[in-house]
Amino acid sequence: MRLILLGPPGAGKGTQAARVCDAHGLVHLSTGDLLRAAVGAGTDLGKEAKAFMDAGNLVPDTLVLALVRERLEQPDAAAGFLLDGFPRNVSQAEALAADLGDRGVEKVIHMKLEDEEIVQRLLARGREDDTEAVIRNRLEVYSNETAPLIAHFDGQGLLVTIDAQGSMDEVFDRIAGVLSDSNAGASA
Ligand code: AMP
């Protein structure tokens, strides 16, 4: 399966992505995790990315695409992957589609959550980039740059929206339902 998990910060993408990947033997590709690892390791890419991340802005496409390409080229990704936090704007989606060619993404799972719930969850999470001002900026970036992907993927017939409210198990069951309803694995 080749999947994208789309949704606002705080929707629980990382947690759900890990569970889906465990259940289906997929490579979990989180651009946020890759970027944080690059920052932690002090690579040139990490140094360039850090200020954007600290402000809650998107890291430039060229940097993110380099990380994604490097990971997708590894042999284990051929068996299937789930993209978490990528693409984050239409130009990243177009670059991904061009890279994947015929073996494109089969399904985009959109985890929908209200703004108020997002802010509460992010404040509770308390990550370094989860201060209130940065959260507000990340929400704005999401609605301006990332949310247009909802219509973009819907237009391609790939989008399934699920309610991201509720317990981790409830949300996982909704995602599992979407994946078993479809034959997303049949052409893998
Ligand atoms: P996340 O863990 O997905 O919330 O990402 C944390 C931060 O990393 C974001 O606020 C962005 O600064 C950056 N980031 C993660 N993924 C992307 C992406 N696909 N494009 C640009 N920036 C990204």
Side-chain angles (χ1 to χ4, degrees):
M1 278 190 283
R2 297 178 297 279
L3 305 173
I4 292 173
L5 207 50
L6 178 66
K13 293 189 300 295
T15 308
Q16 297 299 338
R19 289 183 67 171
V20 170
C21 288
D22 265 1
H24 293 274
L26 306 176
V27 165
H28 177 189
L29 198 167
S30 157
T31 44
D33 286 351
L34 291 174
L35 286 164
R36 278 184 289 277
V39 171
T43 64
D44 287 346
L45 189 150
K47 285 179 193 148
E48 251 190 275
K50 187 173 188 317
F52 296 97
M53 297 171 73
D54 287 345
N57 290 322
L58 294 187
V59 172
D61 291 350
T62 46
L63 300 182
V64 174
L65 284 165
L67 286 174
V68 170
R69 287 184 173 130
E70 190 185 356
R71 185 64 190 91
L72 288 184
E73 276 165 14
Q74 288 169 36
D76 57 349
F81 55 79
L82 186 158
L83 305 177
D84 158 15
F86 177 90
R88 229 30 175 248
N89 58 31
V90 171
S91 77
Q92 290 180 7
E94 285 171 347
L96 175 71
D99 280 4
L100 293 178
D102 290 345
R103 288 175 56 83
V105 164
E106 290 148 295
K107 206 162 274 291
V108 178
I109 300 168
H110 167 217
M111 297 176 68
K112 192 178 157 88
L113 199 65
E114 298 308 321
D115 276 9
E116 207 140 293
E117 174 82 16
I118 296 170
V119 173
Q120 277 174 20
R121 286 198 197 184
L122 290 178
L123 284 172
R125 186 168 77 172
R127 210 169 67 189
E128 205 181 317
D129 59 348
D130 285 341
T131 65
E132 204 167 337
V134 173
I135 289 171
R136 228 176 290 123
N137 189 43
R138 291 171 75 199
L139 282 179
E140 209 170 302
V141 168
Y142 180 78
S143 80
N144 293 338
E145 303 194 44
T146 309
L149 289 173
I150 297 166
H152 175 87
F153 288 124
D154 195 31
Q156 298 180 347
L158 297 176
L159 195 83
V160 182
T161 296
I162 61 142
D163 181 3
Q165 299 242 41
S167 72
M168 243 189 296
D169 286 344
E170 284 167 343
V171 176
F172 180 72
D173 287 346
R174 288 175 203 140
I175 295 174
V178 165
L179 295 179
S180 67
D181 278 352
S182 70
N183 56 0
S187 62

